[in-house]
Amino acid sequence: MDGDTKTMTFLQELQDEPATLDDILISCRATLKYAIKTAHPRYFNQLSTGLDMVGLAADWLTSTANTNMFTYEVAPVFVLLEYVTLKKMREIIGWPDGRGDGIFSPGGAISNMYAMLLARFKMFPEVKEKGMSSVPRLVAFTSEHSHFSIKKGAAALGIGTESVICIKVDESGKMIPADLERRILEAKQKGFVPFFVSATAGTTVYGAFDPLIAISDVCKKYNVWMHVDGAWGGSLLMSRRHRWKLDGVDRANSVTWNPHKMMSVPLQCSALLVREEGLMQNCNQMHACYLFQQDKHYDLSYDTGDKALQCGRHVDIFKLWLMWRAKGTIGFEAQIDKCLELSEYLYNKIKDREGYEMVFDGKPQHTNVCFWYLPPGIRYMEDKEERKKHLHKVAPVIKARMMEYGTTMVSYQPQGDKVNFFRMVISNPAATFEDIDFLIEEIERLGQDL
Amino acid sequence: MDGDTKTMTFLQELQDEPATLDDILISCRATLKYAIKTAHPRYFNQLSTGLDMVGLAADWLTSTANTNMFTYEVAPVFVLLEYVTLKKMREIIGWPDGRGDGIFSPGGAISNMYAMLLARFKMFPEVKEKGMSSVPRLVAFTSEHSHFSIKKGAAALGIGTESVICIKVDESGKMIPADLERRILEAKQKGFVPFFVSATAGTTVYGAFDPLIAISDVCKKYNVWMHVDGAWGGSLLMSRRHRWKLDGVDRANSVTWNPHKMMSVPLQCSALLVREEGLMQNCNQMHACYLFQQDKHYDLSYDTGDKALQCGRHVDIFKLWLMWRAKGTIGFEAQIDKCLELSEYLYNKIKDREGYEMVFDGKPQHTNVCFWYLPPGIRYMEDKEERKKHLHKVAPVIKARMMEYGTTMVSYQPQGDKVNFFRMVISNPAATFEDIDFLIEEIERLGQDL
């Protein structure tokens, strides 16, 4: 049996009998061999890339400690580290003295769902006991470029996707606050109750930052919870050069911020930060006395488990905390600034280059650079519709070839009436100018015959 | 600065400047020093204990691969391993040819929430778009000894905790099917719609197994989704000696089963198994084209991310899969059987021992052994109320002393009108008869003066 045949068999049925240690090692090697090299500096496919050695060591230590975040008694150090780290993140957001609350959750979608849950509870605490049938029809607002988790959360929470109203964006993908106000008024006229606005700081495709100050004015005027989904863009708060893009974030009631994206913390590490203290606890607690005994000999405020949706909760804090210690805030700042610099380099390189068209004008706000590559055969097509039809098929073929050659990976997608385009993102501090140069050459090499 | 002072300072504010490598190592050592030794054979505090070396290695490999379960293109091997493992688990449940669906989720509470979400969608698919206001009042049923996540899920999903009806249990903690039927009829008479029954296979405190066959008959009769929360007890399906306790599990519509508990897989590893194929996808999908492109060059059925509530999803499969390879099914069976043998040993040892009272009669069904230790001073108190009052304070003090001495850890709680009692559980295959002997001696040593 040759290596590859042996490899393929490692996916066979799980057996009654144990495998040999040799077999186990073959499985491990094959798993790594066929794994996608997400740490490679030419892997640009997702918002989470790279592999930080301190973060990895911290994750290994976490696995070894093998415990659960629900009570202080089983995770004393991790509970305290979560406490100090969330406080620091709230300070960086700009909430006075870092006051407020928060939790590390299994990903940005769940963090966003928490925010929606809290907003609903804040306005109608009776929903917890009585359910949605006890309240008027609630409506939420988010931009048409926002992450799909807002709708997913609304579906799960019994609000319904039709009650998520999508607000128009401008050419560069930012929510238009005037449209938000118009749609809020429209909803109120119908007798619906606006309860939640999710602004996005760093949209998934364009990397756009919604105008938070203007949005906060609208939220304040109509007394609506303001959430900022900064899963992708929140980390720019660590950069003195770029944090202005989130001006107004301190006015939010809640913020999602995923250090596993732009800060290269190993997966998963997503924080939800909440301005009001105590709300999460009131919203989610069920007082299970078999887990959260009230007659223990330590300060029970450290038993944070009952404010979570989860019971057992994975320790996601240590890798972030240890990386922060190892780099300092300035270390995170430097790596974020560098990624933004690389994306600007890419943008400058292709914006006037023959065969490229930018999806929208202007410098990238985040590291997202959205563009079409037009192979020579398409470049001068006169029939616009024909050209569009051809162009739509270019990115998928180039991407498939990238994967077959194994040289690089970059994402593509259509958006609205725009046919498939590449969305470059850079979040790996190991990426270099040469890697950007390579990407351009590789796209041209793989796409020129299309 | 001495070691401990230095240790305490490692919890200080996160700094702008990087720490030295020495400081980082001090932080790591201190974190491990003050961590709870959850792998210690005398740590009996939670349902998840122990540390399997193959599982740990697999978790380290997972961290190193640092990827996400949402698409096949970024996690080809892990997606396939999840597929074969879920199929195997469904076969073990007893569904024909292992058909059905499933997902690894961040813990049993979320798995249970998925089940409730699916049950609702199955009965009223319009909830996804229109929310709970489009449907009649739904009610769910679970035993009064069930896990708090059922209520937590109902609160989050907009169903409301008052719509979770708690069914009576018998003396040993098993749901009484006749009471379930009575409460279903009562709800229907009020015009409510019963949509979900969560039976528990292995309750948290007593380790009781609800009678699944009788419950399934009731569910079938009233056309209600039957969920089995086997987060704790599901693993007994791996044991030929003990799997009869879950007889009827194959009649369930969904099953929660946490390999991170009784199978000692490192945290977290929780599976939700679903009998109907395609339902999860229909319930949760949002068709985000920037993540789930429809024109890729591979079989898109492997892009499983859109059936999840999460967007990014941590890789929890590899540690389970590799352990299964290394032990075989018979290896898991042996370690589960051993833990149950230890708990029977404990039960036999204390059931007639002076100073002990069992919380309920009969041999343990799972590894839970629930008992009071009565220090000599309480043992012969005549005033029953006075005795109860004193007894309530015994377990917390003994537990606090265990933690101060650092010798062992075991959980306690009250339940209904029963004052604080110890709940022993054994899930660590490293535990021995000597460790059980030690526990008894230690409880007596620490509690005799109370």
Side-chain angles (χ1 to χ4, degrees):
Chain A
M1 190 161 22
D2 69 19
D4 266 12
T5 317
K6 210 160 179 183
T7 297
M8 296 316 291
T9 62
F10 94 100
L11 279 174
Q12 297 305 302
E13 278 271 289
L14 290 158
Q15 305 291 332
D16 288 347
E17 300 294 326
T20 63
L21 183 57
D22 271 353
D23 278 339
I24 294 301
L25 289 173
I26 288 170
S27 291
C28 289
R29 282 193 207 103
T31 299
L32 284 172
K33 178 178 176 188
Y34 292 99
I36 302 305
K37 309 304 178 291
T38 59
H40 196 286
R42 291 177 183 168
Y43 173 83
F44 303 107
N45 203 62
Q46 307 293 150
L47 307 183
S48 304
T49 67
L51 189 62
D52 184 276
M53 285 303 117
V54 171
L56 182 62
D59 212 19
W60 287 14
L61 187 149
T62 301
S63 302
T64 312
N66 196 31
T67 195
N68 225 316
M69 291 298 288
F70 40 47
T71 59
Y72 178 78
E73 77 184 62
V74 305
V77 179
F78 299 128
V79 165
L80 295 176
L81 296 183
E82 186 169 89
Y83 179 85
V84 298
T85 308
L86 287 170
K87 183 165 184 290
K88 181 79 179 176
M89 292 171 87
R90 290 190 301 262
E91 280 168 14
I92 289 170
I93 285 172
W95 291 332
D97 301 322
R99 278 199 301 272
D101 206 341
I103 198 163
F104 283 86
S105 95
I110 303 292
S111 292
N112 287 339
M113 193 168 91
Y114 265 115
M116 195 178 265
L117 188 61
L118 291 171
R120 180 175 72 181
F121 179 76
K122 174 72 181 170
M123 195 175 272
F124 296 103
E126 62 270 33
V127 171
K128 182 176 177 180
E129 284 86 26
K130 301 198 177 298
M132 285 293 286
S133 51
S134 66
V135 299
R137 175 148 168 213
L138 305 181
V139 281
F141 304 83
T142 192
S143 94
E144 53 191 4
H145 278 200
S146 71
H147 192 261
F148 67 94
S149 57
I150 306 298
K151 284 200 171 180
K152 212 166 238 200
L157 303 188
I159 292 162
T161 54
E162 287 178 5
S163 294
V164 178
I165 295 173
C166 287
I167 306 302
K168 283 193 191 130
V169 296
D170 66 17
E171 167 65 18
S172 65
K174 296 171 194 289
M175 186 194 285
I176 299 171
D179 193 53
L180 172 64
E181 179 158 20
R182 186 177 71 77
R183 300 302 297 270
I184 287 178
L185 283 169
E186 197 178 273
K188 286 168 78 81
Q189 274 158 13
K190 287 181 185 159
F192 304 158
V193 176
F195 81 108
F196 183 74
V197 170
S198 179
T200 312
T203 58
T204 312
V205 180
Y206 282 21
F209 288 81
D210 288 344
L212 301 184
I213 291 177
I215 290 168
S216 78
D217 289 341
V218 178
C219 289
K220 197 174 173 193
K221 185 168 172 188
Y222 297 98
N223 194 27
V224 182
W225 180 286
M226 177 181 171
H227 174 62
V228 173
D229 176 4
W232 173 224
S235 300
L236 267 55
L237 290 169
M238 306 290 278
S239 160
R240 283 164 288 188
R241 197 182 303 162
H242 296 287
R243 68 165 287 145
W244 63 269
K245 294 167 187 174
L246 289 102
D247 276 353
V249 67
D250 56 311
R251 302 185 185 189
N253 298 91
S254 56
V255 177
T256 293
W257 172 355
N258 288 9
H260 71 216
K261 293 193 159 83
M262 200 62 197
M263 288 158 75
S264 271
V265 177
L267 288 157
Q268 281 186 322
C269 189
S270 169
L272 178 76
L273 294 313
V274 183
R275 195 167 58 190
E276 183 175 330
E277 262 176 283
L279 194 65
M280 289 193 86
Q281 186 76 19
N282 290 334
C283 178
N284 293 323
Q285 71 187 349
M286 292 290 151
H287 304 288
C289 60
Y290 50 80
L291 189 54
F292 307 111
Q293 299 88 350
Q294 294 304 301
D295 45 9
K296 291 196 256 198
H297 68 303
Y298 60 80
D299 179 352
L300 298 176
S301 71
Y302 290 115
D303 281 357
T304 57
D306 212 11
K307 72 182 178 191
L309 276 175
Q310 298 171 271
C311 172
R313 186 160 59 91
H314 190 262
V315 178
D316 293 334
I317 183 59
F318 191 63
K319 49 200 173 189
L320 169 59
W321 182 83
L322 199 70
M323 281 175 68
W324 207 320
R325 288 266 297 160
K327 285 179 203 296
T329 310
I330 58 164
F332 278 126
E333 177 180 46
Q335 73 182 47
I336 289 163
D337 286 353
K338 185 193 164 195
C339 289
L340 277 127
E341 204 184 326
L342 286 174
S343 71
E344 203 173 323
Y345 173 78
L346 170 64
Y347 168 77
N348 286 327
K349 189 158 174 160
I350 61 174
K351 73 174 165 21
D352 302 316
R353 189 182 177 95
E354 194 185 349
Y356 290 82
E357 271 180 38
M358 305 310 292
V359 173
F360 59 92
D361 290 333
K363 278 205 305 190
Q365 289 271 294
H366 204 320
T367 68
N368 308 51
V369 181
C370 295
F371 62 92
W372 288 282
Y373 168 69
L374 292 86
I378 298 180
R379 234 166 267 176
Y380 307 106
M381 274 189 181
E382 298 217 332
D383 184 332
K384 295 248 178 212
E385 278 313 303
E386 194 65 12
R387 185 172 176 270
K388 225 170 147 174
K389 224 174 99 183
H390 272 84
L391 186 55
H392 188 58
K393 290 177 187 155
V394 168
V397 174
I398 294 177
K399 165 82 177 265
R401 290 178 178 177
M402 285 173 173
M403 290 172 70
E404 278 155 22
Y405 284 101
T407 49
T408 184
M409 256 175 101
V410 57
S411 192
Y412 73 86
Q413 64 288 298
Q415 171 106 36
D417 61 351
K418 296 181 160 73
V419 299
N420 278 324
F421 55 88
F422 286 113
R423 179 212 61 181
M424 258 294 284
V425 283
I426 303 156
S427 60
N428 185 352
T432 63
F433 293 105
E434 288 71 34
D435 296 315
I436 303 296
D437 293 339
F438 175 84
L439 177 82
I440 299 300
E441 286 157 24
E442 189 68 356
I443 285 175
E444 294 175 2
R445 181 177 79 89
L446 298 174
Q448 60 178 355
D449 65 324
L450 296 175
Chain B
M1 188 162 24
D2 69 17
D4 265 12
T5 317
K6 211 160 177 183
T7 298
M8 296 316 290
T9 61
F10 94 100
L11 278 175
Q12 297 306 303
E13 279 271 290
L14 290 158
Q15 304 292 332
D16 287 347
E17 300 294 325
T20 64
L21 184 58
D22 271 354
D23 278 338
I24 295 300
L25 289 172
I26 288 170
S27 291
C28 289
R29 281 191 208 105
T31 300
L32 285 172
K33 178 178 176 189
Y34 292 100
I36 302 304
K37 310 302 178 292
T38 60
H40 196 286
R42 291 177 184 169
Y43 173 82
F44 304 109
N45 203 61
Q46 307 293 148
L47 307 182
S48 304
T49 66
L51 188 62
D52 184 275
M53 285 304 116
V54 171
L56 181 63
D59 212 20
W60 287 13
L61 186 149
T62 300
S63 301
T64 312
N66 197 31
T67 195
N68 225 315
M69 292 297 288
F70 41 45
T71 60
Y72 177 78
E73 76 184 64
V74 304
V77 180
F78 299 128
V79 164
L80 295 175
L81 296 183
E82 186 169 88
Y83 179 85
V84 298
T85 308
L86 287 170
K87 183 166 184 289
K88 181 78 179 178
M89 293 172 88
R90 289 190 301 263
E91 280 169 14
I92 290 170
I93 286 171
W95 291 333
D97 302 321
R99 277 198 302 272
D101 207 340
I103 198 163
F104 283 86
S105 94
I110 303 291
S111 291
N112 287 338
M113 193 167 92
Y114 264 116
M116 195 178 265
L117 188 62
L118 290 170
R120 180 175 72 181
F121 178 77
K122 175 73 179 170
M123 195 174 271
F124 296 104
E126 63 269 33
V127 171
K128 182 175 176 180
E129 284 87 25
K130 301 197 177 298
M132 286 292 287
S133 52
S134 66
V135 299
R137 173 145 168 214
L138 306 181
V139 281
F141 303 83
T142 193
S143 94
E144 53 191 4
H145 279 201
S146 72
H147 192 262
F148 67 93
S149 56
I150 305 299
K151 284 200 170 182
K152 212 165 236 197
L157 303 188
I159 291 161
T161 54
E162 287 177 6
S163 294
V164 178
I165 295 172
C166 287
I167 306 301
K168 283 192 191 131
V169 296
D170 66 16
E171 167 65 19
S172 64
K174 295 171 195 290
M175 187 195 285
I176 299 171
D179 193 53
L180 172 64
E181 180 159 18
R182 186 179 70 77
R183 300 302 298 269
I184 287 178
L185 283 170
E186 198 178 272
K188 285 168 79 82
Q189 274 157 14
K190 288 182 186 159
F192 304 158
V193 177
F195 81 107
F196 183 74
V197 170
S198 179
T200 312
T203 58
T204 313
V205 180
Y206 282 21
F209 288 80
D210 289 344
L212 300 184
I213 292 177
I215 290 168
S216 79
D217 288 341
V218 178
C219 289
K220 197 172 172 193
K221 185 168 172 188
Y222 297 99
N223 194 27
V224 182
W225 181 285
M226 178 181 170
H227 173 62
V228 174
D229 175 4
W232 173 224
S235 301
L236 267 55
L237 290 168
M238 306 289 278
S239 161
R240 282 164 288 189
R241 196 183 304 163
H242 297 287
R243 69 165 287 146
W244 62 270
K245 295 167 186 173
L246 290 101
D247 275 354
V249 68
D250 56 310
R251 302 185 184 189
N253 298 90
S254 55
V255 178
T256 294
W257 172 355
N258 288 9
H260 70 216
K261 293 192 161 82
M262 200 61 197
M263 287 158 76
S264 271
V265 176
L267 289 158
Q268 284 185 321
C269 188
S270 168
L272 177 76
L273 294 313
V274 183
R275 195 167 57 191
E276 183 174 330
E277 262 176 284
L279 193 65
M280 289 194 86
Q281 187 75 18
N282 290 333
C283 178
N284 293 323
Q285 71 187 349
M286 292 289 149
H287 305 288
C289 61
Y290 49 81
L291 188 54
F292 308 111
Q293 299 88 349
Q294 295 303 301
D295 46 10
K296 292 196 254 198
H297 68 301
Y298 61 80
D299 179 351
L300 297 177
S301 71
Y302 290 115
D303 281 357
T304 57
D306 212 12
K307 72 183 178 190
L309 276 176
Q310 298 171 271
C311 172
R313 186 160 59 93
H314 189 261
V315 179
D316 293 334
I317 183 60
F318 191 63
K319 50 200 174 190
L320 168 59
W321 181 84
L322 200 70
M323 281 174 69
W324 206 321
R325 288 267 297 160
K327 287 179 201 295
T329 309
I330 58 165
F332 277 125
E333 177 180 46
Q335 72 183 47
I336 290 164
D337 285 354
K338 186 194 163 195
C339 290
L340 277 129
E341 205 184 324
L342 286 175
S343 71
E344 203 173 323
Y345 173 77
L346 170 63
Y347 169 77
N348 285 328
K349 187 156 177 166
I350 61 174
K351 71 175 163 33
D352 302 316
R353 188 181 178 95
E354 195 185 350
Y356 291 82
E357 271 180 38
M358 305 310 291
V359 172
F360 58 92
D361 290 334
K363 277 205 305 189
Q365 288 273 295
H366 204 318
T367 67
N368 308 50
V369 180
C370 296
F371 63 91
W372 289 282
Y373 168 68
L374 292 86
I378 297 179
R379 233 165 267 175
Y380 306 107
M381 274 189 182
E382 296 217 334
D383 183 332
K384 295 249 175 207
E385 279 311 304
E386 193 66 12
R387 185 171 177 272
K388 226 170 146 173
K389 225 174 97 186
H390 272 82
L391 187 54
H392 189 57
K393 291 178 189 155
V394 169
V397 173
I398 294 177
K399 166 83 178 265
R401 290 178 178 176
M402 286 173 174
M403 290 173 70
E404 277 155 24
Y405 283 101
T407 49
T408 184
M409 256 175 102
V410 57
S411 191
Y412 73 85
Q413 66 287 299
Q415 171 108 32
D417 60 351
K418 297 182 160 71
V419 299
N420 277 325
F421 56 86
F422 286 113
R423 179 211 62 180
M424 257 295 284
V425 281
I426 303 156
S427 60
N428 185 352
T432 63
F433 292 105
E434 288 71 35
D435 296 314
I436 303 296
D437 293 340
F438 175 85
L439 177 82
I440 299 300
E441 286 157 24
E442 189 67 354
I443 286 176
E444 294 174 1
R445 181 177 80 88
L446 298 174
Q448 59 179 356
D449 65 324
L450 296 175

